[in-house]
Amino acid sequence: MSEPRGRILLVEDTPTQAEVAKALLVDLGHEVRHAETGTRGLAMALDWLPDAILVDLQLPDFSGFELMRKLRAEGSEAACIVITANASVNTAVEAMREGAMDFIVKPYGRARLKVTLDNALEKRALKAELTAVKQQLNRGRFFGFVGGSPAMQAVYRTIESVAPSRANVFVTGESGTGKELVADAIHKASPRARGPFVALNCAAIPRDLLESEIFGHVKGAFTGATDNRAGAAKQAEGGTFFLDEIGEMPLEMQVKLLRFLQTGSFQPVGAARPEKADVRIVSATNRDPLAEVEAGRFREDLYYRLYVVPIELPPLRERGDDVLVIARHFLAQFSKEEGRRFRGFSREAEAAVIAYPWPGNVRQLQNAMRNVVVLHDADMVEVAMLPPMLLRGARPVGSVSSTPAPNPVAAPREAPPQAVHWEPQALPASPSPPPAPSPPAIEPLAAMEKRMILAALDQTGQDVPRAAALLEVNPSTIYRKLAAWRAAH
Ligand SMILES: Nc1ncnc2c1ncn2[C@@H]1O[C@H](COP(=O)(O)OP(=O)(O)OP(=O)(O)O)[C@@H](O)[C@H]1O
Ligand SMILES: [Mg+2]
């Protein structure tokens, strides 16, 4: 049997007329339900969600008009068609005013009923489609993302389509474009949302520790392995495993990851038996993955395993008005956090924000807005408050350095704006030291070092590579220190 063409609710109290109408509707291929009173009709409409409702005007409890009013008040989206014995213009006008899509005068035949219902169902389908399209086009927010540019709408759509599956996703994009936000959105939009989301930054972990970080180890597997420890893959069981900066993974580790992807099982360091983990893998890199494969730094077989669904994040400078929308979003957020009264940007400031190419992308914009808010307070952001970089005009975008410069927020609040070293992390930076805080009383060098490292970690939201860049040391140095402090406890 073919699908019924529509779900039609008939609200009609005269039994003979109801029987005729039902027979016609069934004959036209519709699924039909029948109510004899307004009250019953209302309840069925809200419960069964019909596509169209045929409403007799004279009902025992209240009029058909009243029923339509109540339906509208309850948010029913069904198309209402009035059936009336009164063919006057007044009735027709009132029916339309009450929200009827059409009306039919009794007695009516099969052909009239068919045309009216076909029209109503088609209009309704178009309306639903239009609403869906509008919703897609107007999405200015999507999980953690702000911005509704066409380029980002495409990203949102891909995330939405891929999320329900188990497919591995490979996210590429310049630094600061939101790759981690993609991983997070995929997780949250997926059936694994209730499971864990585990992120592991391959660049942040010393080579010799990476295997045990990912796959865990057993007690005694190596010096310092004082206990059995589950790795990130196991911790992500039932959830999503985000492998960030996958391009930094050493080749020997890539082999082990490939085996895990092929079999679903892995061997913790020092373990006799393999273990299994059910995870969905999202990986990210800001390198060109194919170039890495060609250069022999990334295994081709692993690349194809991971690169099932690619998502490429456009740089901020290709997102049109999103730059301003995101700038306003951060301005409002930071103003609230810092107790400032900023409400927007002056025309010139807006123009400067739009004209700047933002080579450090959203993160750079975020830092710039934080900087403005921390150092100033006014109703409007004026050009003079913007980091000087913006006013120096466009920079060559291709030449990026991986050395982040000191975070602007490191500047003490009372520092005059000129003294703040504002340098986006992705620019060819000549890192100058952050403004030196006045030295406290002399303390042991090791204690001071620990304090500085912890402060850098705090300031970067525990982001070891970024903290390392601020301190101008190798990330593995920080990892070793952290491990040593943990062991000392
Ligand atoms: N469209 C956006 N709207 C709002 N915030 C965003 C958006 N894109 C990124 N962000 C924010 O910008 C910062 C950088 O994003 P994220 O860490 O995801 O970038 P990334 O591509 O992983 O960068 P990297 O390559 O340096 O690791 C984060 O604080 C993130 O929340
Ligand atoms: Mg990242």
Side-chain angles (χ1 to χ4, degrees):
M1 224 184 86
S2 62
E3 284 278 295
R5 302 186 47 232
R7 290 148 73 97
I8 316 291
L9 174 63
L10 173 71
V11 190
E12 166 70 77
D13 61 328
T14 317
T16 47
Q17 293 191 4
E19 283 316 307
V20 174
K22 272 200 277 186
L24 284 177
L25 288 166
V26 170
D27 187 49
L28 289 171
H30 298 295
E31 190 181 353
V32 190
R33 292 203 184 167
H34 172 216
E36 287 164 350
T37 63
T39 312
R40 187 84 194 100
L42 182 63
M44 282 169 80
L46 299 178
D47 189 43
W48 187 48
L49 304 179
D51 298 309
I53 308 179
L54 292 173
V55 183
D56 183 22
L57 278 190
Q58 275 149 26
L59 295 166
D61 42 358
F62 44 81
S63 79
F65 291 144
E66 185 68 34
L67 174 58
M68 284 195 290
R69 246 170 265 144
K70 287 187 201 287
L71 282 167
R72 220 177 24 218
E74 296 286 346
S76 161
E77 287 176 5
C80 289
I81 296 159
V82 161
I83 312 174
T84 172
N86 178 354
S88 78
V89 173
N90 280 349
T91 314
V93 169
E94 192 170 359
M96 295 306 170
R97 196 185 297 137
E98 292 299 343
M101 194 174 270
D102 206 343
F103 80 105
I104 303 180
V105 180
K106 294 181 195 176
Y108 53 89
R110 182 181 190 278
R112 176 81 179 103
L113 189 63
K114 178 174 181 344
V115 171
T116 309
L117 276 177
D118 284 354
N119 268 339
L121 293 179
E122 195 181 328
K123 265 193 211 161
R124 206 180 110 78
L126 279 178
K127 204 170 137 191
E129 215 169 287
L130 194 69
T131 315
V133 169
K134 268 194 189 154
Q135 265 172 3
Q136 293 222 321
L137 288 180
N138 293 342
R139 260 195 312 218
R141 297 257 174 141
F142 184 77
F143 292 92
F145 291 99
V146 176
S149 59
M152 287 309 287
Q153 295 294 342
V155 170
Y156 303 161
R157 277 198 299 276
T158 310
I159 292 176
E160 225 165 35
S161 340
V162 74
S165 76
R166 252 201 79 144
N168 294 335
V169 180
F170 200 102
V171 193
T172 52
E174 292 178 12
S175 182
T177 44
K179 294 185 291 295
E180 187 147 5
L181 278 188
V182 172
D184 184 63
I186 290 173
H187 176 69
K188 289 188 175 138
S190 79
R192 301 175 163 257
R194 281 157 177 260
F197 176 83
V198 177
L200 186 134
N201 187 333
C202 301
I205 296 168
R207 280 170 168 256
D208 49 335
L209 287 184
L210 193 55
E211 184 177 359
S212 112
E213 285 292 318
I214 295 181
F215 294 135
H217 60 247
V218 296
K219 184 175 172 177
F222 48 85
T223 327
T226 49
D227 272 309
N228 288 348
R229 186 164 174 271
K234 194 73 196 170
Q235 287 166 20
E237 173 77 48
T240 308
F241 184 19
F242 176 44
L243 279 162
D244 202 359
E245 312 223 24
I246 186 104
E248 314 300 317
M249 186 180 274
L251 281 165
E252 66 272 15
M253 192 57 216
Q254 292 178 25
V255 184
K256 293 177 177 159
L257 179 64
L258 178 65
R259 204 170 306 136
F260 174 48
L261 287 170
Q262 285 166 336
T263 62
S265 62
F266 59 89
Q267 199 117 8
V269 180
R273 259 185 248 123
E275 285 186 23
K276 285 206 168 289
D278 163 33
V279 296
R280 197 269 180 91
I281 295 191
V282 178
S283 22
T285 179
N286 51 19
R287 300 188 180 198
D288 172 357
L290 263 185
E292 293 300 296
V293 170
E294 271 156 26
R297 285 187 294 265
F298 205 80
R299 289 185 66 105
E300 191 172 12
D301 45 9
L302 178 61
Y303 168 73
Y304 284 112
R305 275 272 165 182
L306 294 171
Y307 203 83
V308 179
V309 178
I311 295 185
E312 192 181 344
L313 276 172
L316 185 56
R317 63 188 167 278
E318 287 171 17
R319 299 189 203 171
D321 290 347
D322 281 6
V323 177
L324 263 189
V325 177
I326 299 173
R328 290 199 193 104
H329 163 79
F330 285 136
L331 184 71
Q333 182 192 330
F334 298 149
S335 293
K336 197 167 163 211
E337 283 173 23
E338 306 284 344
R340 302 292 201 252
R341 59 198 153 93
F342 284 111
R343 283 186 298 107
F345 297 84
S346 75
R347 290 259 293 279
E348 294 76 33
E350 241 176 51
V353 168
I354 293 171
Y356 187 68
W358 299 106
N361 295 294
V362 184
R363 185 177 296 108
Q364 185 191 6
L365 178 58
Q366 192 177 31
N367 288 345
M369 290 306 119
R370 172 76 82 176
N371 194 315
V372 167
V373 171
V374 166
L375 296 174
H376 308 272
D377 193 13
D379 281 342
M380 290 287 169
V381 176
E382 301 293 341
V383 172
M385 301 174 189
L386 293 173
M389 179 73 61
L390 266 75
L391 309 174
R392 257 179 256 146
R395 284 238 175 184
V397 164
S399 52
V400 292
S401 137
S402 59
T403 316
N407 188 321
V409 186
R413 278 202 189 172
E414 51 285 359
Q418 316 81 287
V420 176
H421 183 87
W422 184 86
E423 192 76 65
Q425 30 89 53
L427 279 177
S430 48
S432 63
S438 51
I442 301 296
E443 61 179 325
L445 208 51
M448 193 154 89
E449 182 190 62
K450 182 171 178 181
R451 201 163 44 74
M452 293 307 287
I453 292 178
L454 293 179
L457 284 169
D458 262 356
Q459 192 185 299
T460 54
Q462 313 302 316
D463 187 327
V464 174
R466 238 162 259 147
L470 288 177
L471 296 164
E472 300 189 23
V473 298
N474 200 303
S476 54
T477 309
I478 297 191
Y479 269 90
R480 294 222 170 78
K481 298 275 178 201
L482 287 173
W485 296 330
R486 222 176 288 141
H489 264 286

